[in-house]
Structures are given as C-alpha cells and as structure tokens.
Amino acid sequence: MAQLPPHHLAWAESIGIVSRDMDFLLWFEETAFSTWMRESGPAFFSSLVLHSVAMGFVVGVHVATDLRVLGVACRVPLSLMRGFLPVAWVALWVVVASGALLLCAYPTKALTNPLFYVKLLAVLAALLIARSLTRGLLGDDNHDAGPLPRKARVLAALSLALWAGAITSGRLLAYTYNLLMASHQT
Amino acid sequence: MVEALFAFGEKSGIHALMYSTWGWPAVESLHFIGLVLLIGNVGVFDLRMIGLARGIPMRALHRLVPWGIAGYALNALTGFLFVVSAPDQYLFNPAFQTKLSLMAVAGFNVLVFYRFVWARVAPADAGEDAPRGAKIAAAVSLTCWVGVIVCGRLITYYRPPYHWCFWC
C-alpha cells in the first residue's frame, strides 16, 4: 500500500481527516474523467470561473442578510430578505457542482490538505447559521422592525467571520497543498 | 508604463509586502472578500429593481449600497497592489483589459443611474415595481460585475505571452 510520508500531517491523520492510503487517490486521479478535467483547459477553467461567480452570490446574499441583522439598513423588513434566498440557493448548487468537478481534477491536492476540511467546515457552519436565522427571525414578520435579540446579532457576526474564513482558506488551498497528485509521490 | 509601475512597487515597499511569504495569498483573500461585499450588497439592490423581494422599499435597501462601495474600494486597492507587483502580466493580458473595460461600463452605468434614474426609483415603496430604466440599469450592473469576476478569474488563464485573442 502506498504511504503518504510527510509527518507534519500526523495530527490531521490522528483525527482521521487525512488518509495515508494513497491507493484510492491514485486510482481516482487516473480515471478518464479526472484526467479530462485536468487536461482539457476549458473544463477546468469554466469550473473555476463558475465556482467564483456563484460563490460571490451565495456569500454575498448571506452577507447582506447578516448586515441587516446587525442593524445596517434597519428599515428593510427583515422577513422580506428571504426574497433573495432563491438566488443564493441556485448559486449554492452551482458552487457545489463546480467544486465537485474541481475536486475530481485534483483529488489528492484537496483531500490531503487539512485546510480543505477547514474550508468545508466553515461553509457548513455558516450555512447552518443561515438556516437557523431563516427559520427563526426571518420566518415571521414580528422581527421586521426594531432591534434584534443579542443572540441573533452574535450569530450574524459569527456568520460573517465564517464566510471570511471559508474564502481565505479556499484561496490558500492554491498555496498550501502537500501533494498535487498521488502519482507525484516517490 | 510597465517600468514606471514596477519602479513604484519597488520604491513604495509594495513588492516587499506582495513577495513576502504570505503577502500575495493574503491580498488575494482580501480581494475575494471585497468581491463578496460588492456583488452581495449591490447585487441585492439590483435584484430588487429587477423584481425580487418587491415588498422592500427601495430607499431602505439602498442603505446596503455603501457596504458594496466599501468592497469596491477594497478591491481597487488590492487590485492595484497586484498590478504594481507584476505589471507586464496584467497590462498585456486580454482578460485584464476586458475586466477594466467592463468596470468602465459599470462605472458609466452608475453615473447614468444616479443622474437620471435614482430620483424616480427612490420613492418606490413596499410592493412597488421599479421603472423600466431602473431594471435596465440593474441588469447592466449585474452583467458587468459578473463579467468582471469572470475576467478576473481568467487572468491566470491568459498569462502573457502564451495566449491568443483577436486584438492581441
């Protein structure tokens, strides 16, 4: 069985987020689809472009909603911010699909980088906060005007921090990977 | 132009920052955060004019726009840092040239919007549709900013001198 040597990943392996088993990654990156995603320029770059544009709408709509919860544009009836959520949802599916395609292109690069899991967890946590705010405050029009509970404002601020963290860790994936492809391992 | 920008980058310490270990990735991350502020806050305002969330009074929603402008300012600054740090990679890059052109169109659209359209849109209260001119300005705005993101992402694809385009 092929092994992943660098010991600086030991902590990540010990909590089970990276695997030393390279056999699966070796097989995956040599499938015809993975090779095509990597080697046909337009497939890779259109996924990258879609991932960025759709990310802008997913995060952008949530940031606008968080700012409203924090008191910016406080005369906007809060429950009506739900009107923009369908845009964020469509964009989220584009983000997930394009992200999956990018993962197919370089599975080893992402899956052996602990930061990739940090990014996924930040996105997941931010989306859970969004769901909690949507079902709670945005769900009825009692909160349309007036100051919001402290707990809601803390969640909105946390959401902004998580989105910033997800973006930063996503960008850093291009710089911090341990191994680009399993086949590069000696 | 390239020489002047490069010399400025050397003298001002911008190169020292950008070519430090985490300089370039950190500024890139800020550039993406600015992107989100711009497309999010200006985007929801545009979407309201196009017809989403019509229950929101226009003037109330407009209070988000300064946060979009802050995102624009952050990106103008961080974008300038990139250009100064590798001027030849940007100035001769067709994706970058297209990006600047779209930003110019978006800027002209902003001027036309506030000069001729905003006074008629601002009174649009809860439930009121925005006038046709506002819908057009909103569509132009969204199209331009999406185009700007697309071109920004493609800058790494069209690195000079290994590219082809019809005006290159």
Side-chain angles (χ1 to χ4, degrees):
Chain A
M1 176 191 289
Q3 297 268 301
L4 183 64
H7 68 276
H8 63 271
L9 280 176
W11 68 270
E13 192 200 357
S14 69
I15 55 172
I17 61 173
V18 294
S19 166
R20 274 176 186 258
D21 177 6
M22 290 282 103
D23 292 345
F24 168 73
L25 295 174
L26 267 174
W27 166 79
F28 193 178
E29 70 191 19
E30 274 157 27
T31 57
F33 184 67
S34 177
T35 308
W36 177 74
M37 275 304 302
R38 245 183 343 265
E39 292 176 359
S40 115
F44 187 79
F45 264 91
S46 55
S47 303
L48 209 55
V49 165
L50 284 173
H51 201 62
S52 304
V53 171
M55 179 283 280
F57 282 96
V58 174
V59 184
V61 167
H62 283 107
V63 163
T65 309
D66 290 335
L67 287 175
R68 167 61 187 86
V69 171
L70 286 169
V72 178
C74 55
R75 287 165 72 185
V76 171
L78 182 59
S79 63
L80 297 180
M81 288 300 285
R82 272 183 312 174
F84 300 116
L85 285 181
V87 174
W89 276 105
V90 171
L92 181 62
W93 286 112
V94 177
V95 166
V96 171
S98 56
L101 292 174
L102 292 169
L103 184 61
C104 287
Y106 292 99
T108 310
K109 182 186 180 189
L111 295 175
T112 61
N113 188 348
L115 207 55
F116 177 69
Y117 304 90
V118 171
K119 171 182 168 173
L120 289 191
L121 286 175
V123 171
L124 194 64
L127 288 174
L128 285 174
I129 289 178
R131 192 176 75 160
S132 150
L133 288 175
T134 308
R135 290 192 174 173
L137 294 181
L138 277 69
D140 66 71
D141 49 17
N142 291 325
H143 305 286
D144 274 358
L148 294 162
R150 188 182 150 74
K151 188 187 156 216
R153 284 180 286 135
V154 170
L155 280 180
L158 186 59
S159 161
L160 290 177
L162 285 166
W163 287 123
I167 289 173
T168 304
S169 48
R171 193 77 288 271
L172 290 181
L173 291 181
Y175 299 90
T176 57
Y177 59 89
N178 299 291
L179 192 58
L180 186 63
M181 291 180 66
S183 59
H184 292 178
Q185 195 186 14
T186 47
Chain B
M1 183 73 168
V2 170
E3 288 79 6
L5 284 171
F6 195 84
F8 176 74
E10 283 293 306
K11 206 167 58 177
S12 58
I14 290 175
H15 288 178
L17 166 78
M18 295 301 280
Y19 291 112
S20 64
T21 311
W22 294 107
W24 199 287
V27 175
E28 276 184 342
S29 299
L30 287 174
H31 202 68
F32 274 78
I33 288 169
L35 169 168
V36 159
L37 283 173
L38 176 62
I39 201 79
N41 292 301
V42 172
V44 294
F45 185 69
D46 288 338
L47 288 169
R48 163 65 178 91
M49 288 196 277
I50 286 173
L52 259 70
R54 248 176 247 189
I56 301 177
M58 283 307 307
R59 223 188 278 275
L61 194 60
H62 192 256
R63 299 296 283 270
L64 284 175
V65 170
W67 288 78
I69 296 172
Y72 176 88
L74 177 60
N75 279 12
L77 175 69
T78 49
F80 180 71
L81 297 181
F82 297 132
V83 174
V84 161
S85 301
D88 57 328
Q89 287 295 309
Y90 288 92
L91 299 184
F92 307 122
N93 191 314
F96 180 72
Q97 292 163 357
T98 311
K99 179 175 178 173
L100 280 193
S101 311
L102 286 170
M103 284 170 65
V105 174
F108 181 71
N109 185 54
V110 167
L111 291 180
V112 170
F113 175 75
Y114 282 108
R115 176 74 182 77
F116 299 106
V117 189
W118 176 230
R120 287 186 292 127
V121 187
D125 214 344
E128 277 181 59
D129 206 8
R132 182 199 287 267
K135 287 184 196 294
I136 294 170
V140 170
S141 167
L142 281 174
T143 309
C144 283
W145 292 122
V146 166
V148 164
I149 301 174
V150 171
C151 291
R153 206 55 266 217
L154 287 179
I155 286 171
T156 53
Y157 192 60
Y158 287 102
R159 274 174 217 258
Y162 312 105
H163 65 266
W164 178 89
C165 73
F166 66 84
W167 72 86
C168 298

